[in-house]
Amino acid sequence: MSKFWSDVVREIEPYVPGEQPKIAGLIKLNTNESPYPPSPEVAKTIDRDAVDQLRLYPDPNASELSQALADYYQLDVGQVFVGNGSDEVLAQLFMAFLQGRGTVLYPDISYSFYPVYCQLFGVPAKPIPLREDFSLALADYSTEAAGIIFPNPNAPTGMGVALDEIEQLLKARPDTLVVVDEAYIDFGGESAASLVSRYDNVLVVQTFSKSRALAGMRVGFALGQRSLIEGLERVKNSFNSYPLDRLAQRAATVAIQDDDYFKASCAKVVATRDRMTSRLEALGFTVLPSQANFIFAKPPAAVSAETLAAQLREHKILVRYFNRERISDYLRITVGTDEQIGTLLAVVESLLKGA
């Protein structure tokens, strides 16, 4: 601790990212990255010309990427905001719309960056408990608030919220900003992007890190009506006018345009997820219904989640364990390739036999 730290730095509890170990031969199923590479078009676009242009500042508005996103979601380009990963976009919207405006509501079991941003920006928070079955019921979000934010599908549970339920919330709370964090929407959910043009109180936030396999490029975006996008741009241009580098802009643009590859990659993940779920259930696991590229699974009584995570690590298989109330009996397991999941299942079955 330094004598120069501000009160905010001294008191905040920073977000702890998923482990990124450098272990040869590791099967890494802990941070929900894509098991497949990005579109082949990405490699083609990062050519010598692209490298030569790195001496120049990038387009501060990421115009080509913004237009590609607008075309994909059938929106006006003025309804698109891009940023350096969805985490940065979320931070900017906390500053633009929630700081100094009142309480924000979010699920008590959810993305752990939300309470960090509330601390960082001095936003009062009121976590709303998930239901007994871990479902996220938007009917429970009736408390007066400046904003409501939730992932759809939720993390770490993987359970989704129906689009009509989101629309009912938007109608019921016209003076409350509703942020739908759709990091995992492409693996089985229905995006709220279709609601953007009809409601001025919704922001949809997505990322290229999961379904489009560009976690290393750090590209996120928000969709909303022009007045909301302008608010985000004011914050962005007061902090960093060039949040996306040239390579990231080019890679993300071709990734959003290669829809066939995107759909095929998502379909493979979903098929593997369903097979993994069935097999784990046959081994005695309780698996929550997932619409994400991961599952949330409770091992059978013979072994605790914490013990199983440690045993898997000894076999060079890394999964995510959360030592938190209500979910300490569960593991979050990213969907890998069929080969990786086959190895996981074989090891799990062997460990259970020896338990």
Side-chain angles (χ1 to χ4, degrees):
M1 184 180 296
S2 168
K3 65 182 180 181
F4 298 110
W5 284 11
S6 69
D7 290 342
V8 171
V9 172
R10 199 183 314 275
E11 296 170 7
I12 199 167
E13 297 180 22
Y15 173 77
V16 179
E19 187 180 0
Q20 298 285 349
K22 295 177 175 62
I23 301 173
L26 183 72
I27 296 179
K28 191 171 178 298
L29 305 176
N30 68 317
T31 49
N32 302 337
E33 294 138 323
S34 173
Y36 304 109
S39 162
E41 299 303 313
V42 170
K44 295 177 184 177
T45 196
I46 302 177
D47 54 17
R48 172 50 53 187
D49 177 60
V51 173
D52 287 344
Q53 291 187 43
L54 290 181
R55 63 187 176 82
L56 304 173
Y57 282 109
D59 176 359
N61 299 314
S63 303
E64 187 179 9
L65 173 57
S66 295
Q67 187 61 62
L69 286 164
D71 293 342
Y72 188 84
Y73 289 101
Q74 300 181 338
L75 296 170
D76 183 83
V77 71
Q79 296 173 307
V80 178
F81 174 83
V82 297
N84 188 4
S86 61
D87 288 337
E88 182 176 284
V89 174
L90 290 169
Q92 290 168 333
L93 73 84
F94 265 77
M95 180 177 286
F97 310 118
L98 301 174
Q99 189 175 36
R101 295 196 60 247
T103 303
V104 64
L105 313 179
Y106 54 77
D108 68 331
I109 298 172
S110 190
Y111 188 30
S112 53
F113 236 134
Y114 301 155
V116 174
Y117 287 144
C118 285
Q119 276 190 293
L120 184 62
F121 297 114
V123 178
K126 181 177 175 57
I128 305 298
L130 296 180
R131 295 285 178 91
E132 189 69 24
D133 62 355
F134 293 107
S135 61
L136 195 167
L138 294 182
D140 296 340
Y141 288 70
S142 57
T143 304
E144 187 64 30
I148 296 170
I149 184 168
F150 59 91
N152 187 34
N154 193 22
T157 66
M159 298 175 69
V161 179
L163 186 62
D164 61 349
E165 191 175 350
I166 296 173
E167 185 166 16
Q168 289 172 22
L169 179 66
L170 295 175
K171 290 178 178 178
R173 306 295 298 274
D175 297 322
T176 298
L177 178 67
V178 176
V179 180
V180 189
D181 186 356
E182 295 186 341
Y184 305 102
I185 196 67
D186 297 319
F187 301 103
E190 187 175 1
S191 176
S194 61
L195 303 176
V196 163
S197 294
R198 289 186 281 141
Y199 297 93
D200 65 0
N201 61 329
V202 63
L203 264 177
V204 176
V205 178
Q206 287 199 23
T207 178
F208 279 74
S209 295
K210 313 299 182 183
S211 57
R212 299 189 190 274
L214 288 176
M217 280 292 190
R218 313 309 303 129
V219 182
F221 61 95
L223 309 173
Q225 292 200 7
R226 182 58 194 161
S227 59
L228 293 175
I229 301 303
E230 286 179 353
L232 288 170
E233 288 173 345
R234 288 174 67 87
V235 170
K236 184 265 287 187
N237 289 325
S238 301
F239 178 70
N240 179 10
S241 297
Y242 305 100
L244 280 187
D245 64 56
R246 284 178 170 270
L247 298 185
Q249 290 187 32
R250 292 183 71 153
T253 299
V254 297
I256 199 73
Q257 292 170 338
D258 192 354
D259 203 40
D260 289 341
Y261 181 88
F262 160 72
K263 289 178 178 176
S265 180
C266 288
K268 286 193 290 186
V269 169
V270 169
T272 304
R273 181 192 70 201
D274 292 346
R275 286 194 294 272
M276 175 169 60
T277 297
S278 296
R279 184 65 187 133
L280 287 175
E281 288 177 336
L283 291 173
F285 282 71
T286 299
V287 184
L288 300 187
S290 175
Q291 292 182 315
N293 68 335
F294 60 84
I295 63 167
F296 206 50
K298 180 180 179 180
V303 62
S304 71
E306 184 175 17
T307 298
L308 182 56
Q311 291 174 333
L312 288 171
R313 189 185 183 94
E314 291 175 1
H315 288 78
K316 292 190 174 183
I317 301 173
L318 196 60
V319 298
R320 193 75 183 264
Y321 170 71
F322 298 90
N323 187 16
R324 289 180 51 194
E325 188 177 354
R326 290 188 70 189
I327 60 173
S328 59
D329 291 338
Y330 286 78
L331 296 176
R332 193 190 69 189
I333 307 173
T334 302
V335 178
T337 63
D338 282 339
E339 181 181 5
Q340 289 173 328
I341 298 306
T343 301
L344 166 78
L345 293 171
V347 171
V348 167
E349 186 169 7
S350 175
L351 290 172
L352 291 179
K353 285 181 180 177

